[in-house]
Amino acid sequence: MTEAAVSSDDHALVQAYLNHVRVEKRLADRTVALYTLDLEKLSAQAREAGVALTSVQNPHIRRWVAQMHGAGRTARGIALILSGWRGFYVWLGRQGLIDHNPVQDVRAPKAGKPLPKALGVDEAVQLAAHHEEADDPALEARDACITELLYGCGLRIGELVGLDVAASGAARGWIDAQDGEAHVLGKGSKRRSVPVGRQAIEALAAWLSLRAAWAGEDPALFIGARGQRLTPQHIRVRLKRRSQLAGLATPVHPHMLRHSFASHVLQSSGDLRAVQELLGHASISTTQVYTRLDFQHLAQVYDAAHPRAGTRSGQAPESLGGVPKADAPAARPKPRTVRAR
């Protein structure tokens, strides 16, 4: 079979598969578009190797994965491409066109787990304490309350937008200001109670005193000027704006405040189990990522304070024999107790 004929047959198979996922499986247009790009890449690789798509073998796939990885494509990106290829070959097998799936047992390179981004204590306090004089007082009070609850309670954004003004049988969550507790509905429809600090309670009272001017029939705690419950996207936009107005170098998103809450509580208490309960994590392994953040914090303190830390970071010691200079202690950071707001 000529190369042109092979190419024509490959194209027909790809189009038939895309028609299958579009019409029979009713996948979203965006998903079909991504599958199209993945299969175009597969066709190009097969054409370059001089094989038809139905003749691709497991070593071909492994070599192409290695090439993508070497070219700098992320592990997640490779995994998504392999998923698209795997589905295509599963379909070819059901059509009786191949007797084995060449993508079977091929996995993307293992992705490193990036550390969650968290603010420093001073940055988090700066954001929470910021007051935007130019904003409508109700708008400022609402955004300040949102910030206090995200940082002070470690809430997920879905838990925050689900809060109602008052407890009820239909409420997904509410705040008991008298007891200082937030009752929320977390992942897996699991309810939990989280302590609410004094600053957040004060911010809540300030917001509720002005909320009535906007209130409609919606029982939501956080509403817009039209009286409707805020969406997660609306809160993301407002929080990013607030962080920029507060002078923070990094735009802040809601989950960053959750990470900051967890990291700061762990730094202060060292109680991983308590942080797990506060965050509503089903598994302690999910919470353990914050021990890596905590270690980073401790390493920074060590580098700044220990007289022999210069040998660790590759810097010259400050003095001979490991004895710090006379004025060195004044430059060392004092231990600081971090409390969740």
Side-chain angles (χ1 to χ4, degrees):
M1 185 176 287
T2 65
E3 183 177 340
V6 168
S7 179
S8 177
D9 287 347
D10 285 351
H11 179 75
L13 287 176
V14 168
Q15 292 306 309
Y17 174 68
L18 292 175
N19 187 61
H20 162 72
V21 298
R22 183 186 300 110
V23 177
E24 297 182 33
K25 298 190 72 174
R26 298 183 181 181
L27 296 185
D29 290 343
R30 172 62 177 164
T31 304
V32 175
L34 292 174
Y35 279 7
T36 301
L37 293 175
D38 293 343
L39 294 177
E40 285 177 352
K41 184 171 186 62
L42 177 65
S43 298
Q45 295 279 31
R47 189 163 52 250
E48 185 177 338
V51 296
L53 289 177
T54 52
S55 300
V56 169
Q57 302 296 313
N58 186 270
H60 289 121
I61 300 294
R62 293 186 183 279
R63 183 167 69 249
W64 298 336
V65 166
Q67 290 172 351
M68 287 189 286
H69 185 55
R73 188 175 289 271
T74 65
R76 176 172 172 76
I78 294 173
L80 290 173
I81 290 173
L82 283 175
S83 177
W85 291 0
R86 193 174 292 112
F88 173 63
Y89 279 107
V90 167
W91 177 79
L92 287 180
R94 290 172 180 168
Q95 306 305 307
L97 298 174
I98 58 173
D99 56 12
H100 71 284
N101 187 338
V103 193
Q104 193 69 31
D105 299 326
V106 179
R107 297 289 179 265
K110 192 172 183 179
K113 293 184 179 180
L115 286 173
K117 294 181 180 179
L119 296 174
V121 176
D122 291 339
E123 290 176 310
V125 172
Q126 178 181 338
L127 177 65
H130 176 73
H131 183 81
E132 189 56 37
E133 297 286 351
D135 278 352
D136 176 273
L139 195 63
E140 163 59 25
R142 185 200 65 189
D143 291 356
C145 185
I146 286 172
T147 305
E148 289 285 1
L149 288 175
L150 287 172
Y151 175 52
C153 303
L155 301 184
R156 298 180 178 95
I157 189 170
E159 296 167 348
L160 182 85
V161 298
L163 292 173
D164 282 357
V165 172
S168 70
R172 291 171 53 194
W174 65 90
I175 295 178
D176 186 332
Q178 185 173 354
D179 289 343
E181 290 186 344
H183 303 276
V184 299
L185 185 67
K187 284 187 176 180
S189 298
K190 294 181 179 178
R191 291 196 174 275
R192 76 179 190 283
S193 297
V194 184
V196 181
R198 176 179 57 82
Q199 304 255 12
I201 292 294
E202 291 177 358
L204 176 64
W207 159 235
L208 289 177
S209 69
L210 298 171
R211 178 186 177 279
W214 291 354
E217 297 181 358
D218 201 313
L221 174 58
F222 294 113
I223 57 175
R226 297 181 181 178
Q228 297 177 328
R229 187 184 299 268
L230 293 186
T231 64
Q233 181 57 26
H234 192 123
I235 290 176
R236 290 187 187 98
V237 171
R238 295 297 303 179
L239 188 59
K240 179 180 179 180
R241 173 182 181 270
R242 184 179 182 85
S243 67
Q244 292 170 334
L245 292 173
L248 269 65
T250 303
V252 175
H253 55 79
H255 220 64
M256 188 183 292
L257 290 183
R258 177 171 161 88
H259 293 323
S260 302
F261 163 85
S263 178
H264 299 167
V265 170
L266 184 60
Q267 285 175 16
S268 191
S269 68
D271 192 334
L272 193 63
R273 287 288 181 185
V275 174
Q276 178 191 2
E277 292 294 325
L278 290 170
L279 293 177
H281 286 162
S283 170
I284 192 69
S285 62
T286 307
T287 318
Q288 283 174 335
V289 66
Y290 296 106
T291 63
R292 296 167 63 195
L293 280 177
D294 193 38
F295 177 78
Q296 281 194 340
H297 165 77
L298 294 174
Q300 290 169 358
V301 171
Y302 170 79
D303 284 340
H306 197 281
R308 301 293 285 175
T311 58
R312 174 179 177 271
S313 60
Q315 300 171 351
E318 291 189 12
S319 62
L320 296 175
V323 179
K325 294 178 182 178
D327 60 349
R332 298 179 191 172
K334 295 180 180 179
R336 179 173 186 175
T337 300
V338 182
R339 298 186 185 275
R341 291 171 62 84

